[in-house]
């Protein structure tokens, strides 16, 4: 059973702070790693994709991947109240295997 | 460009009833997926398809059936609904080799079985 683990939260951070979201996965064959944001009552939307060890930055978001430790994280700089949502980590093997999702971490940014 | 369209958006079923959740995409995506999301939980894969005529079970297929007769449509059938099937159902699609774009999700169907 492939597992993706996330702390369910809630994670509360003040506006302007850095939010750090973490995810671990069990399958060493995992190749691609995704972060989705899901607002309450809405469908998930992709915010970051990473497949190489190291950091990948996109605006205020940075994804970090460490395959040796089977760990992927998402940093959100200058957090805004509009970042308040559930963040889902998803993992994929090669080929046509579907994404495996974690339970998500609920982030609350306090103004 | 409509993307992924799911119908209905909401439905209440009685125990033992059956229904079909519809999913249509207009992006010519080969791959389509059905996930369910229980409150406070992540997405669990029910069934997926890599092309017309090809379907495969996911993590939680019991109580569900699917078919894929065309590239565009991937309906999910619930037979003999049970309270444990109360959930939000998401259909998604993707194109092989375009992982950087992730999945395109529909808006979801909120199903309650009473």
């Amino acid at each position: 059973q492939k597992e993706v683990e996330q702390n369910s939260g809630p994670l509360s951070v003040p506006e302007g702070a850095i939010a750090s979201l973490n995810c671990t996965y069990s399958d060493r064959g995992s190749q691609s790693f995704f972060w989705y944001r899901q607002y309450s009552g809405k469908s998930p939307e992709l915010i970051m994709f990473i497949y190489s060890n190291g950091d990948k930055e996109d605006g205020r978001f940075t994804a970090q991947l460490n395959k040796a430790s089977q760990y992927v994280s998402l940093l959100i700089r200058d957090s805004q109240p509009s970042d308040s949502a559930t963040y889902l980590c998803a993992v994929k093997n090669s080929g046509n295997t579907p994404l495996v999702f974690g339970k998500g971490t609920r982030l609350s940014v306090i103004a | 460009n409509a993307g992924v369209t799911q119908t209905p958006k909401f439905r209440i079923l009685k125990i033992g009833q059956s229904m079909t959740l519809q999913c249509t995409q207009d992006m010519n995506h080969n791959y389509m997926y059905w996930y369910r999301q229980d409150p406070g939980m992540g997405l669990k894969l029910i069934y997926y398809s890599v092309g017309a005529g090809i379907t495969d079970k996911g993590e939680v297929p019991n109580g569900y059936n699917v078919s894929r007769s065309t590239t565009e449509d991937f309906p999910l059938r619930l037979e003999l609904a049970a309270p444990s099937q109360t959930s939000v159902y998401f259909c998604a699609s993707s194109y092989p080799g375009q992982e950087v774009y992730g999945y395109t999700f529909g808006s979801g169907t909120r199903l309650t079985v009473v």
Side-chain angles (χ1 to χ4, degrees):
Chain A
Q1 181 82 0
K2 300 173 185 176
E3 293 185 346
V4 178
E5 300 288 341
Q6 294 181 256
N7 187 324
S8 60
L11 172 66
S12 295
V13 300
E15 183 176 0
I18 296 175
S20 177
L21 305 161
N22 304 314
C23 172
T24 59
Y25 58 94
S26 63
D27 186 358
R28 284 198 171 273
S30 299
Q31 300 283 320
S32 306
F33 307 86
F34 303 78
W35 283 99
Y36 282 80
R37 178 176 63 200
Q38 185 177 28
Y39 292 113
S40 181
K42 301 295 185 182
S43 56
E45 56 178 328
L46 180 68
I47 55 172
M48 289 292 287
F49 160 69
I50 187 169
Y51 62 91
S52 297
N53 276 328
D55 295 359
K56 179 181 178 182
E57 186 174 318
D58 184 1
R60 295 187 296 113
F61 299 99
T62 298
Q64 299 175 318
L65 175 61
N66 184 326
K67 289 186 178 180
S69 299
Q70 295 177 241
Y71 177 92
V72 58
S73 65
L74 178 71
L75 301 178
I76 306 175
R77 290 181 299 281
D78 188 23
S79 296
Q80 301 297 310
S82 58
D83 294 325
S84 297
T86 296
Y87 289 80
L88 300 167
C89 174
V91 172
K92 185 183 182 303
N93 279 353
S94 60
N96 60 16
T97 56
L99 292 181
V100 178
F101 286 84
K103 294 181 180 180
T105 297
R106 187 157 57 93
L107 172 67
S108 178
V109 181
I110 311 301
Chain B
N1 191 342
V4 178
T5 302
Q6 290 185 239
T7 56
K9 293 190 184 301
F10 304 94
R11 183 73 185 269
I12 298 175
L13 276 183
K14 293 184 178 180
I15 295 172
Q17 287 185 322
S18 300
M19 75 166 293
T20 298
L21 282 67
Q22 301 292 344
C23 177
T24 298
Q25 54 91 9
D26 62 357
M27 298 169 287
N28 203 32
H29 284 174
N30 294 79
Y31 297 173
M32 296 187 74
Y33 316 87
W34 276 105
Y35 286 88
R36 59 176 287 174
Q37 186 175 35
D38 298 332
M41 303 293 283
L43 300 166
K44 292 187 177 181
L45 183 67
I46 306 171
Y47 273 96
Y48 68 102
S49 169
V50 299
I54 306 169
T55 62
D56 211 342
K57 295 179 180 178
E59 182 186 359
V60 289
N62 291 343
Y64 307 94
N65 279 300
V66 293
S67 59
R68 184 93 183 272
S69 57
T70 66
T71 299
E72 294 78 19
D73 300 310
F74 191 39
L76 177 71
R77 178 79 177 166
L78 276 72
E79 304 283 1
L80 299 175
S84 61
Q85 293 178 306
T86 293
S87 190
V88 179
Y89 291 83
F90 288 104
C91 178
S93 69
S94 67
Y95 198 82
Q98 295 187 353
E99 290 183 333
V100 64
Y101 300 112
Y103 288 2
T104 300
F105 281 90
S107 58
T109 295
R110 186 174 297 273
L111 175 67
T112 302
V113 181
V114 296

